[in-house]
Amino acid sequence: MDNKILNQYYEENVKMLRNETEKNTKEVLPLVDDILRYVHQRDKRFMIQTVKVGSYHTHLKVKRAGEFDFSVVVDVGKLSWIANNNSRFYGFDNVNRKVESSILPLPSPPAGQCFTQIGSLKAKWESEGLEDGGASLTFNNDIVPIKVKRRFKALVSEAVNQPKLRSRVTTDRISDSPAITLSVKLPNTAYPISIDLCPMIESKLEFRSDFNWPRPLAKWPSSEKISCIKDVGIHEVAKSPFYWTLSFAACEKELVEGIDENGTCRRKSLRVLKTLKENIWCKPGVKKGLTSYHLKNVLFWECEDHPFDTEWQQELLETRVKSMTYRLLGYLQRGNLLLYFHTGVNLLSSKDKGVLQQVANIIKTFLDQPNQYLC
């Protein structure tokens, strides 16, 4: 592996196709706006204005803009941590559909997850008829993730079933992902465009000491950047049925903003790794164990351990890519990759250990003779 080969690989396999990207973007943005305007008209708790996160909006996408991520704000206002250890006595009925009272309490939320109360806002929603029947997002004083996902999914499905959209747009089934995924056929585009719409509570929660960020002795990011990230705060997404999952997507976007303003190769290094994942390490047909989000956290840990711009000069691209690949290999072999912004969360804890080992073996083979794969 050397810089010349890596740069050639970047030009041929990683770099965005500009004309195609611009065309797709011009089609997608008005489409998303139409859908969300319909959703907001039916339920004003879902906002029209999105929070643009994900690879495309943080300039970390590779090759083509075929996937777009949008966070759709559920309007509950700014929240704060509440010292509330009360048990929650609700759950699914026998067929896992209706949320109802339960004799047994829900377990305490795992690390990186929480219950969320909305207090007096529930009474306001009830007075406006927003909590009737299937429109209800709450149980007692909690706003419940699975109820939010189902309500949002139903409204998005209504929106795309309009005559002007139904021939071009399909929605997926509700899943463990916090997002609703749309598949869109665009004219003169050979592949479908994927759009993720993720309901999110823009809670702007503060970092707690048990998250272990920022780390006192770390030299990256700068104190100015840390202040900006704290101002952005932590949001919540509806991944688990009953616990809100803390989302650091907006913090990550702020962290990446200006990351290469001095001509460094941080973004480029990550985009190379993402392409290696898609083209070599996790080819189609291999069960997915490794995600782009894992690689983004690998970059953040690499940046903290190598905090100076002099360590990320363009001529050191090969050094950084190799270092990040060995770092990733170690995480996979140990089955332990800590979330950069919350070290209580292991991003590999729910992954199949056999699949992780399979990917690790492929990466080891790649590291033995990388040029064989890159040329």
Side-chain angles (χ1 to χ4, degrees):
M1 189 190 298
D2 62 37
N3 266 7
K4 183 178 179 181
I5 291 174
L6 266 184
N7 278 300
Q8 183 177 346
Y9 183 80
Y10 179 84
E11 291 294 324
E12 295 176 356
N13 297 277
V14 182
K15 201 171 181 179
M16 295 284 282
L17 304 174
R18 179 169 294 179
N19 291 340
E20 192 175 318
T21 299
E22 290 177 354
K23 181 174 73 71
N24 290 353
T25 303
K26 286 179 181 178
E27 293 276 357
V28 163
L29 296 182
L31 179 68
V32 170
D33 187 69
D34 281 349
I35 291 170
L36 295 183
R37 283 185 185 280
Y38 178 92
V39 170
H40 181 72
Q41 185 179 27
R42 295 277 284 111
D43 192 329
K44 67 179 184 180
R45 293 172 294 187
F46 297 102
M47 306 300 288
I48 299 171
Q49 187 66 38
T50 62
V51 177
K52 296 176 177 64
V53 294
S55 297
Y56 174 72
H57 299 295
T58 52
H59 307 290
L60 293 172
K61 192 76 185 71
V62 298
K63 201 64 177 175
R64 56 166 54 118
E67 298 175 357
F68 294 83
D69 301 317
F70 299 88
S71 292
V72 181
V73 176
V74 185
D75 188 16
V76 300
K78 189 178 185 299
L79 301 176
S80 59
W81 296 111
I82 300 174
N84 183 357
N85 298 319
N86 294 338
S87 297
R88 265 60 174 191
F89 289 89
Y90 57 82
F92 283 129
D93 61 14
N94 292 333
V95 292
N96 285 345
R97 290 203 57 81
K98 186 180 178 183
V99 178
E100 62 182 15
S101 296
S102 171
I103 297 174
L104 297 175
L106 286 167
S108 297
Q113 297 183 316
C114 64
F115 295 116
T116 297
Q117 292 182 308
I118 58 169
S120 60
L121 188 58
K122 181 179 179 179
K124 181 175 183 293
W125 287 354
E126 288 174 339
S127 69
E128 296 171 351
L130 293 171
E131 281 289 287
D132 297 343
S136 173
L137 305 183
T138 65
F139 196 94
N140 295 334
N141 287 322
D142 287 348
I143 182 167
V144 181
I146 190 63
K147 289 188 150 200
V148 172
K149 282 176 69 173
R150 286 175 173 173
R151 175 63 171 164
F152 183 64
K153 165 79 172 181
L155 294 177
V156 170
S157 296
E158 284 182 21
V160 302
N161 197 39
Q162 297 175 93
K164 64 179 180 178
L165 295 179
R166 70 172 63 136
S167 64
R168 295 196 296 142
V169 185
T170 57
T171 60
D172 70 345
R173 297 182 63 185
I174 202 162
S175 67
D176 290 338
S177 166
I180 306 300
T181 300
L182 308 179
S183 182
V184 183
K185 298 175 184 176
L186 296 182
N188 303 315
T189 301
Y191 52 90
I193 302 298
S194 176
I195 301 174
D196 277 357
L197 302 175
C198 180
M200 179 190 77
I201 295 178
E202 199 174 19
S203 39
K204 299 185 178 180
L205 294 166
E206 297 176 354
F207 281 83
R208 297 193 324 212
S209 59
D210 58 310
F211 294 0
N212 192 29
W213 188 90
R215 282 162 280 282
L217 300 179
K219 293 182 173 62
W220 185 90
S222 67
S223 56
E224 293 80 10
K225 179 62 75 173
I226 288 171
S227 294
C228 291
I229 291 170
K230 287 183 175 180
D231 287 342
V232 168
I234 303 161
H235 304 329
E236 303 173 27
V237 293
K239 188 173 183 180
S240 171
F242 303 115
Y243 311 108
W244 287 93
T245 299
L246 301 180
S247 170
F248 299 92
C251 297
E252 291 156 5
K253 184 180 179 183
E254 177 60 38
L255 180 56
V256 170
E257 187 71 31
I259 200 170
D260 288 320
E261 63 184 1
N262 294 326
T264 49
C265 67
R266 293 180 176 92
R267 270 201 184 97
K268 190 174 183 178
S269 299
L270 176 56
R271 293 174 72 194
V272 168
L273 253 66
K274 289 176 68 171
T275 306
L276 292 173
K277 176 189 80 71
E278 293 172 11
N279 293 350
I280 300 171
W281 303 338
C282 302
K283 287 184 177 180
V286 176
K287 188 176 178 183
K288 289 187 177 180
L290 183 63
T291 69
S292 293
Y293 191 64
H294 294 140
L295 300 181
K296 185 192 288 188
N297 277 269
V298 170
L299 171 67
F300 294 157
W301 285 113
E302 183 80 4
C303 287
E304 186 165 302
D305 286 347
H306 299 275
F308 304 112
D309 284 351
T310 52
E311 300 174 278
W312 292 88
Q313 297 303 303
Q314 293 292 335
E315 60 269 22
L316 295 176
L317 176 65
E318 177 262 345
T319 300
R320 292 279 67 85
V321 168
K322 184 181 289 186
S323 175
M324 290 168 65
T325 305
Y326 274 108
R327 178 185 292 272
L328 171 63
L329 179 60
Y331 293 145
L332 293 173
Q333 290 174 326
R334 295 189 298 272
N336 189 27
L337 167 54
L338 301 184
L339 179 61
Y340 179 73
F341 282 117
H342 185 349
T343 57
V345 178
N346 174 12
L347 294 172
L348 299 177
S349 63
S350 63
K351 299 298 180 181
D352 185 295
K353 289 182 173 56
V355 173
L356 296 182
Q357 188 56 55
Q358 182 182 1
V359 176
N361 291 339
I362 294 171
I363 292 176
K364 279 195 290 185
T365 303
F366 166 81
L367 285 168
D368 286 340
Q369 291 186 315
N371 291 349
Q372 178 180 326
Y373 294 89
L374 295 172
C375 295

